[in-house]
Amino acid sequence: MKLQRRRKLVKYSDILDRPIRFNPFVFSRMFILWAILGLIGGIISGSYWVVLMFLTEVLGAYQGWLVIPVMAICGLLAGLIIYFIGDPGEMQLIVNNIRFNKGKLDPKNNPSMILSSLLCVASGGSLGPEAPLVQVTGSTGSWLGKIFRLKGEELRSLSIAGMASGFTALFGAPLGGSLFALEILHHKHAVEYYQAIIPALVASGFSYIVFALIVHLGLGPAWHLPAYEMATVFDFGWAVFFAVIATFVGWCFIFCTKFFKNLFGKLKTPIYVNTLIGGLLLGTIAFYLPITRYFSHFEINELLTDDLTMEFLAAVLIFKIIAIAITVTSGWRGGFIIPLFFCGTALGLLIHSIFPSISLSLTIVSCMAAINACVTRTPMSTTILLATLTGFTYFIPILFASLTGYFLAPRIPFISAQMEEEELKKTKKKFRNNPE
């Protein structure tokens, strides 16, 4: 009797341990978790955007020479926030934590990131809100995973899904945002995180809906390019040709950033001094070239609609690159993807004035794709993002341009955390032995 009773107890406990299978679909409890994360990400992104637009309107009222002290003061305040509340880090830290820290993103510095980035972006810094949103929503995914005691790849996937929800909300491209969250980690190893693509897509979809409801986002493209019809098969050749030129500009941006990084590194001053200096320099550039102010989400359409001379376009391109480099290296917080798209637009307009017979849309999109792929090493997501943001429905020319920018990019990535682990160790060792 005792043996039979034990067998029954073992049988019943085994049944109780099994999940109750009442759902005949792929739908599972994890779907609900991804959806909740997307809803939270959409609320965070929408609230951030509303506050950002309000601050931008308030600070944007200061024009002329007043832009210089306003940006300097905002830079100082942002630096003080980072100095006293905590350094939230940059995209390098996010990539490293996803790759080498089991996907754990610490949310403790989110207040510092939110406050400092709002000041930096709203006052006119040449960095956008995509990087702060990615960090905040990605760490929210980690926090949610810890609450539900997720570990391993499930936790990493939830962090990546959070990143995708923040990126998607801003760009309005769920597929592009999801791929970007995987590809920014390391293009060669995007497949390594491929199991996170479904969580990222689900979270992105819900985030996009919430964000669109909050900010009344439309479904059309953000930047209005002229309609494009492929004339000949040689359009692919033109796309590659323009991409080569744009990749050269991408190299110039990388070298310009390294120059200012060394310059600010030699100052050996607290971060709030660097952000103050950065604000003064950025304010001066914005005083002489107002179109270079801000992260360029709205200024791209301004470039497309205004009739600008070649000299002015060249000046805008050069000083926008300098402005982005100063913003990145002086401690200001934000992302550089949209500003790089602005540089691609200015370059495309400049090239089109030399080759007026070639489609303007093809020229601009090729330049935008190549510059971004060269710097961020994200050819797949760049292709989809640009098709969504510009309404350019011919994917293949954009893909050709993106791949050209990717394969002609510097061997050492601009985001150093994208390097192979062994190469990263060698580079750090070489730098320690020879700092110069």
Side-chain angles (χ1 to χ4, degrees):
M1 287 294 294
K2 289 183 178 180
L3 182 61
Q4 289 180 353
R5 188 175 297 173
R6 287 180 180 177
R7 285 178 177 176
K8 286 182 179 180
L9 288 173
V10 170
K11 181 180 179 181
Y12 293 150
S13 64
D14 182 52
I15 292 172
L16 290 172
D17 285 340
R18 296 177 185 175
I20 300 173
R21 300 181 180 277
F22 61 86
N23 178 21
F25 307 105
V26 176
F27 175 91
S28 66
R29 70 180 182 89
M30 289 304 297
F31 174 89
I32 299 174
L33 192 58
W34 304 332
I36 291 172
L37 176 59
L39 293 173
I40 295 173
I43 293 170
I44 292 172
S45 303
S47 303
Y48 184 98
W49 183 263
V50 170
V51 176
L52 176 63
M53 291 298 101
F54 172 76
L55 288 176
T56 302
E57 186 176 352
V58 171
L59 296 174
Y62 297 95
Q63 301 290 333
W65 65 269
L66 288 174
V67 72
I68 300 175
V70 166
M71 294 190 69
I73 293 170
C74 288
L76 175 62
L77 292 175
L80 289 172
I81 289 170
I82 295 170
Y83 184 80
F84 286 106
I85 299 180
D87 190 348
E90 298 176 352
M91 186 59 73
Q92 311 270 11
L93 181 63
I94 300 175
V95 174
N96 276 331
N97 284 337
I98 293 292
R99 291 183 64 193
F100 307 125
N101 194 30
K102 301 178 182 179
K104 298 176 183 177
L105 301 177
D106 196 346
K108 69 178 182 180
N109 288 325
N110 283 351
S112 174
M113 172 58 86
I114 292 171
L115 294 174
S116 60
S117 64
L118 280 172
L119 280 171
C120 293
V121 178
S123 63
S126 287
L127 290 179
E130 62 271 19
L133 286 178
V134 164
Q135 179 166 333
V136 173
T137 54
S139 60
T140 302
S142 294
W143 169 76
L144 203 60
K146 289 178 182 178
I147 289 177
F148 287 90
R149 298 182 180 179
L150 300 182
K151 295 181 180 179
E153 290 305 317
E154 284 189 335
L155 178 60
R156 193 199 307 268
S157 295
L158 204 62
S159 298
I160 294 173
M163 293 169 58
S165 70
F167 195 81
T168 294
L170 179 64
F171 285 93
L175 180 57
S178 300
L179 282 176
F180 179 86
L182 271 68
E183 210 174 7
I184 193 67
L185 302 176
H186 195 301
H187 176 73
K188 290 183 179 180
H189 296 280
V191 178
E192 180 180 341
Y193 311 106
Y194 186 74
Q195 69 186 50
I197 188 64
I198 298 300
L201 284 171
V202 173
S204 295
F206 280 90
S207 175
Y208 175 71
I209 292 171
V210 174
F211 184 82
L213 290 173
I214 292 175
V215 304
H216 306 291
L217 182 70
L219 296 177
W223 305 316
H224 306 290
L225 296 177
Y228 168 75
E229 289 292 335
M230 190 172 71
T232 65
V233 72
F234 292 107
D235 281 4
F236 299 107
W238 284 114
V240 173
F241 174 67
F242 298 146
V244 171
I245 301 173
T247 304
F248 172 75
V249 174
W251 276 71
C252 293
F253 165 73
I254 292 172
F255 281 117
C256 185
T257 303
K258 289 183 177 180
F259 169 77
F260 281 104
K261 186 176 182 179
N262 292 332
L263 203 62
F264 280 105
K266 291 177 180 178
L267 294 178
K268 305 295 183 183
T269 52
I271 189 168
Y272 53 83
V273 176
N274 290 352
T275 53
L276 171 62
I277 296 172
L280 288 170
L281 295 174
L282 292 170
T284 304
I285 294 173
F287 171 69
Y288 288 102
L289 289 170
I291 199 171
T292 61
R293 193 182 179 191
Y294 301 112
F295 66 100
S296 304
H297 182 78
F298 303 105
E299 284 70 23
I300 288 177
N301 281 327
E302 189 177 336
L303 272 183
L304 293 172
T305 54
D306 291 350
D307 187 16
L308 306 173
T309 63
M310 290 181 61
E311 293 78 8
F312 183 79
L313 287 170
V316 166
L317 176 61
I318 293 169
F319 282 98
K320 186 63 176 180
I321 289 174
I322 295 173
I324 301 171
I326 292 172
T327 314
V328 169
T329 56
S330 63
W332 284 48
R333 292 295 182 258
F336 45 77
I337 295 173
I338 298 179
L340 287 177
F341 285 156
F342 177 89
C343 292
T345 305
L347 177 63
L349 289 168
L350 193 60
I351 294 175
H352 183 71
S353 61
I354 302 173
F355 299 96
S357 60
I358 310 301
S359 167
L360 175 62
S361 297
L362 177 66
T363 309
I364 290 175
V365 168
S366 300
C367 293
M368 294 169 83
I371 288 181
N372 190 63
C374 173
V375 176
T376 64
R377 301 201 173 199
T378 56
M380 292 187 295
S381 52
T382 295
T383 301
I384 298 171
L385 280 174
L386 282 176
T388 305
L389 291 169
T390 63
F392 194 96
T393 55
Y394 291 81
F395 276 71
I396 305 303
I398 311 178
L399 180 61
F400 275 45
S402 297
L403 289 174
T404 302
Y406 172 75
F407 285 112
L408 294 181
R411 184 172 176 272
I412 298 177
F414 177 74
I415 303 174
S416 59
Q418 291 179 326
M419 294 173 65
E420 297 280 2
E421 191 171 1
E422 293 300 322
E423 290 181 355
L424 192 59
K425 290 179 180 177
K426 289 179 182 178
T427 304
K428 288 180 178 178
K429 184 178 179 181
K430 182 179 179 182
F431 179 79
R432 285 195 300 267
N433 295 335
N434 185 19
E436 298 297 326

